[in-house]
Amino acid sequence: MRVLVAGSSGLIGSALVPRLRASGHEVRRLVRRAAHAPDEHSWDPPAGRIDDDALDGVDAVVNLCGAGLGDRRWSHARKQVLLDSRTEPTEVLAAAVAKHGVPTLVNGSAVGYYGDAGDEPVYESHGPGTGFLAELCQRWEGATQAAADARVVLLRTGLVLSPHGGLLGKLKPLFSLMLGGRLGKGTQYMPWIHLDDHVAAVTHLVEHQDVTGPVNLTAPKPVTNAEFTAELSRVLGRPAPWVAPAFALKFVLGDLAEEALLGGQRAIPAALTRAGFTFRFDKLDTALAAATGR
């Protein structure tokens, strides 16, 4: 297949491109500058511009664009950046998919769609929750509307465990200095997935034409923050005795703490399971060992 990838330089995209190529697919990459390599095509999402020939003969478009959700406090301006960095590229790609008759659009989203779901298991059939993240994900997914005649897959991604940054890039130094600990009560669920399984799942979804709509990209066994903290402490061989009080997190980080750190989703990958996908890392201990080099 010929696959066009937007967001190919990010944590997930930089791992997805070689995975797709290893599976025998031809990959084109969208870049926000002049194209220099043979596989590159230029585009400018805020201007609504994309190279005319970027989608020629393309079988699937994968869109992974979006500014980092946990990079800084969510001011009003930052929330607008988070929204625009997702909806603008999605609208441009969805329109291009429709114009060129591309059969498949695989588009990013997140488990934040469900809001803070407590300890109730959430499946793809569940409706949206409340809060900024839920609203963000609804508008993100809604931006694919122009491609309604194509097969649209919505990647409701959980917390990605990677050796190259992301969540563990922030946590590992703290735990190594014995500054790790649970967040608030620690009862909030953390729907995790190893990076290798994420890119394998996206490849699987590109290839399997019978899968459409939302797909939870999370491992089958989500854990609470307290369980995650204890397991990471064990894998790294460092005690994690501390507790970050909820009030302190909210004071420092505001809505980011309320929704992304103290809330969570017990998301279950039912659609992936039905599609015949097999997880390489279905248990947290082996996933953390692989992602931390232990």
Side-chain angles (χ1 to χ4, degrees), residues 115-216:
D116 182 7
D119 60 1
E120 176 189 3
V122 288
Y123 302 89
E124 290 85 355
S125 58
H126 280 67
T130 59
F132 170 69
L133 279 180
E135 179 184 352
L136 172 70
C137 291
Q138 290 177 75
R139 295 179 65 177
W140 192 2
E141 295 182 5
T144 65
Q145 184 59 40
D149 291 338
R151 178 177 72 100
V152 178
V153 180
L154 303 169
L155 307 174
R156 291 181 182 166
T157 296
L159 300 167
V160 178
L161 306 182
S162 166
H164 311 298
L167 175 66
L168 290 180
K170 294 179 173 67
L171 292 181
K172 191 175 176 181
L174 294 174
F175 277 70
S176 297
L177 294 171
M178 293 184 285
L179 296 176
R182 77 171 195 263
L183 304 178
K185 294 181 179 180
T187 56
Q188 65 275 29
Y189 270 84
M190 299 180 64
W192 61 273
I193 185 171
H194 192 282
L195 178 63
D196 287 356
D197 279 333
H198 192 290
V199 297
V202 173
T203 302
H204 187 91
L205 294 167
V206 166
E207 296 171 341
H208 288 73
Q209 304 297 309
D210 57 332
V211 184
T212 188
V215 178
N216 289 342

Side-chain angles (χ1 to χ4, degrees), residues 38-125:
D39 68 335
E40 292 182 346
H41 290 267
S42 179
W43 74 323
D44 183 355
R49 183 189 62 78
I50 185 170
D51 281 355
D52 288 337
D53 59 349
L55 285 90
D56 288 350
V58 166
D59 300 295
V61 172
V62 179
N63 175 24
L64 301 172
C65 294
L69 287 169
D71 293 352
R72 64 192 72 171
R73 186 185 176 96
W74 291 349
S75 64
H76 178 75
R78 183 59 181 173
K79 286 182 177 181
Q80 193 63 49
V81 168
L82 296 175
L83 178 62
D84 291 345
S85 67
R86 286 162 172 78
T87 56
E88 285 180 349
T90 300
E91 289 169 350
V92 173
L93 287 173
V97 163
K99 177 181 177 180
H100 292 265
V102 177
T104 296
L105 171 61
V106 179
N107 203 78
S109 185
V111 291
Y113 175 90
Y114 305 110
D116 182 7
D119 60 1
E120 176 189 3
V122 288
Y123 302 89
E124 290 85 355
S125 58

Side-chain angles (χ1 to χ4, degrees), residues 9 12 67 71 76 142 152 220 255 260 270 282:
S9 62
I12 296 171
D71 293 352
H76 178 75
V152 178
D255 290 347
D282 61 350

Side-chain angles (χ1 to χ4, degrees), residues 190-261:
M190 299 180 64
W192 61 273
I193 185 171
H194 192 282
L195 178 63
D196 287 356
D197 279 333
H198 192 290
V199 297
V202 173
T203 302
H204 187 91
L205 294 167
V206 166
E207 296 171 341
H208 288 73
Q209 304 297 309
D210 57 332
V211 184
T212 188
V215 178
N216 289 342
L217 260 65
T218 59
K221 300 175 182 177
V223 298
T224 65
N225 172 258
E227 292 168 333
F228 185 95
T229 299
E231 190 57 44
L232 182 57
S233 171
R234 187 193 67 79
V235 168
L236 294 177
R238 293 288 188 273
W242 308 106
V243 176
F247 74 88
L249 292 170
K250 293 177 185 177
F251 178 77
V252 174
L253 297 174
D255 290 347
L256 170 59
E258 182 76 33
E259 296 192 34
L261 301 180

